[in-house]
Amino acid sequence: PIRRPYRAPELSDGAVTAAGDRFAFAALAYEWMTGRRVPSTFVAGDMAPMAGPDRESLGRIFARGLHAD
């Protein structure tokens, strides 16, 4: 099955939850900040290179928001 890029992996079709909204927001923010799509399995070390912000801190934030559960 194909999952849409901004849909939380644990949600079935039609399900709407606050956790799913957080996942979508994190995916959009990651793409906006880096210009890249979120990897299918994101870990903090996958943070794309960026000038300026603290990559380690942002990596931890995105790892939490994009966690598969």
Side-chain angles (χ1 to χ4, degrees):
I2 297 173
R3 180 178 64 85
R4 300 206 185 275
Y6 307 113
R7 186 155 186 78
E10 75 274 10
L11 296 179
S12 61
D13 286 340
V16 177
T17 67
D21 290 344
R22 285 189 297 272
F23 181 93
F25 180 74
L28 287 168
Y30 181 88
E31 189 171 324
W32 173 68
M33 292 180 76
T34 65
R36 298 179 181 184
R37 280 273 168 102
V38 175
S40 59
T41 305
F42 184 87
V43 293
D46 289 341
M47 189 68 196
M50 296 187 321
D54 180 359
R55 283 184 55 212
E56 288 183 22
S57 295
L58 283 174
R60 287 191 300 272
I61 291 167
F62 284 120
R64 183 177 176 127
L66 298 169
H67 194 273
D69 294 332

